[in-house]
Amino acid sequence: MQNYQLNHLDQLESEAIYIMREVAGQFEKPALLFSGGKDSIVLVHLALKAFRPGRLPFPLVHVDTGHNFEEVLQFRDYLANKLGEKLIVRKVEDTIQRQHLTEPKGKFASRNALQTYTLLETIEEFGFDACIGGARRDEEKARAKERIFSVRDEFGQWNPKLQRPELWNTYNGKVAKGENVRVFPISNWTELDVWNYIRRENIELPSIYFAHERTCVEFQNQLVALSEFVQLEPSDKVVKVGVRYRTVGDMTCTAAVPSQARTLDEVINEITVTRTSERGETRIDDRASEAAMEDRKRNGYF
């Protein structure tokens, strides 16, 4: 009898596919949150492995802040069309007008936190009882506290002190009316795992993840893309440099990293030697306070 042993990526893939199938089996109206970023692209790839040749048992859902990178939005639409899967897009701009929300002000005013309102509206509109997302525990300490099946109450809020045990890979998806679950199939992956899996599976990505020239504003040792959403000041230093993105969010809260890595191998080599998490190095909004991410998650953020 042949002794077949799964390698590290095989184990992570197997766990994620198992979680996807648990979602399909336990919930009535799940959705996959899909932004066109690398982690959500990997989720779609895993979902295809879990459910093809059939259709995905859930739609792809994107909460569009209006401040997204154009390359990412184009890739989002391209992939959904290529796969023939349903894509639901809801805009933060519409929620701002409907709920009379106050937009953040300042140099790099981000709508990132306002996504929560639109996401909760979307969950209520479609009656989603589970939302699959690409958060990973290595990204940020608040996300490291999450279970794979993370319950939100009827107000969409998360209590890190009231989480269900997940012993022996047993996931409890039972929810009361109005509650929902956020599901994180790649919780146990690292950034390097994601990139190694992308290389192994030959997964397409938006060009923004590879080195390119971009006009940026230097701010606190970070490079923020120059756009209509950035309020320039006379003292600002604007530079055109070779950069890539490790993670993508609002253009106003996501910094680029200097890079000449134009291939998967070169990107992986850079990540292998870095000592800073992708959010720690590039997300301006996470620097608002020590508990910035946890505060947003408690209020319903992804």
Side-chain angles (χ1 to χ4, degrees), residues 277-294:
S277 71
E278 60 193 277
R279 292 192 70 95
E281 183 176 16
T282 66
R283 293 304 287 265
I284 297 171
D285 52 337
D286 286 351
R287 298 185 177 191
S289 74
E290 282 291 317
M293 170 63 83
E294 183 161 329

Side-chain angles (χ1 to χ4, degrees), residues 8-290:
H8 177 61
L9 289 180
D10 290 330
Q11 291 173 345
L12 291 173
E13 178 189 71
S14 178
E15 177 188 54
I17 289 173
Y18 169 71
I19 293 165
M20 291 271 193
R21 289 172 176 165
E22 282 292 298
V23 171
Q26 292 196 44
F27 296 96
E28 293 183 6
K29 286 191 173 181
L32 192 155
L33 302 179
F34 175 64
S35 65
K38 71 179 189 309
D39 296 307
S40 64
I41 292 169
V42 166
L43 284 182
V44 171
H45 184 82
L46 291 164
L48 295 174
K49 284 202 166 190
F51 302 110
R52 282 295 196 248
R55 298 290 300 274
L56 299 186
F58 35 68
L60 309 180
V61 175
H62 183 219
V63 174
D64 185 353
T65 66
H67 292 179
N68 300 103
F69 290 93
E70 187 60 33
E71 301 99 315
V72 180
L73 293 181
Q74 289 177 0
F75 191 90
R76 176 201 69 186
D77 295 341
Y78 154 75
L79 187 59
N81 289 333
K82 176 183 175 182
L83 298 177
E85 296 293 341
K86 183 178 181 180
L87 172 65
I88 296 170
V89 178
R90 291 295 179 266
K91 298 180 181 295
V92 171
E93 178 69 36
D94 296 336
T95 306
I96 291 171
Q97 296 179 14
R98 195 161 40 242
Q99 297 193 27
H100 307 289
L101 301 177
T102 301
E103 288 207 52
K105 307 295 182 183
K107 186 179 186 66
F108 299 112
S110 171
R111 290 177 171 176
N112 204 33
L114 298 182
Q115 290 181 84
T116 298
Y117 297 92
T118 308
L119 177 57
L120 295 179
E121 279 189 343
T122 306
I123 289 171
E124 183 176 5
E125 177 186 355
F126 292 95
F128 294 135
D129 52 2
C131 294
I132 303 167
R136 307 187 321 270
R137 290 179 178 138
D138 75 320
E139 291 180 276
E140 201 274 340
K141 55 190 176 184
R143 286 183 165 172
K145 296 179 181 181
E146 292 260 31
R147 296 288 194 263
I148 289 176
F149 274 28
S150 183
V151 178
R152 300 302 200 268
D153 66 20
E154 63 271 25
F155 302 105
Q157 297 180 327
W158 171 66
N159 186 342
K161 295 182 179 180
L162 292 176
Q163 299 196 70
R164 298 170 177 176
E166 293 180 338
L167 306 175
W168 305 290
N169 294 329
T170 301
Y171 305 111
N172 179 1
K174 186 176 290 186
V175 292
K177 185 174 177 60
E179 294 178 338
N180 67 86
V181 173
R182 310 290 169 84
V183 181
F184 305 111
I186 60 172
S187 285
N188 294 325
W189 299 42
T190 66
E191 181 186 14
L192 189 57
D193 291 330
V194 170
W195 279 99
N196 278 322
Y197 187 73
I198 288 168
R199 177 173 61 180
R200 189 185 84 170
E201 300 291 307
N202 195 27
I203 298 172
E204 283 186 272
L205 292 178
S207 60
I208 197 170
Y209 284 107
F210 301 95
H212 58 283
E213 280 202 340
R214 190 175 291 266
T215 303
C216 300
V217 181
E218 290 188 350
F219 177 74
Q220 296 182 354
N221 298 319
Q222 291 185 309
L223 296 168
V224 183
L226 184 62
S227 72
E228 61 185 299
F229 312 117
V230 174
Q231 298 180 15
L232 278 180
E233 299 171 359
S235 59
D236 283 331
K237 184 177 180 182
V238 177
V239 294
K240 191 168 186 178
V241 287
V243 298
R244 67 176 179 85
Y245 284 84
R246 294 177 67 183
T247 181
V248 292
D250 268 10
M251 295 180 72
T252 52
C253 71
T254 310
V257 295
S259 177
Q260 296 301 317
R262 299 180 182 277
T263 67
L264 283 171
D265 286 340
E266 290 170 346
V267 170
I268 289 169
N269 287 341
E270 283 190 357
I271 295 169
T272 300
V273 299
T274 189
R275 293 294 177 265
T276 309
S277 71
E278 60 193 277
R279 292 192 70 95
E281 183 176 16
T282 66
R283 293 304 287 265
I284 297 171
D285 52 337
D286 286 351
R287 298 185 177 191
S289 74
E290 282 291 317

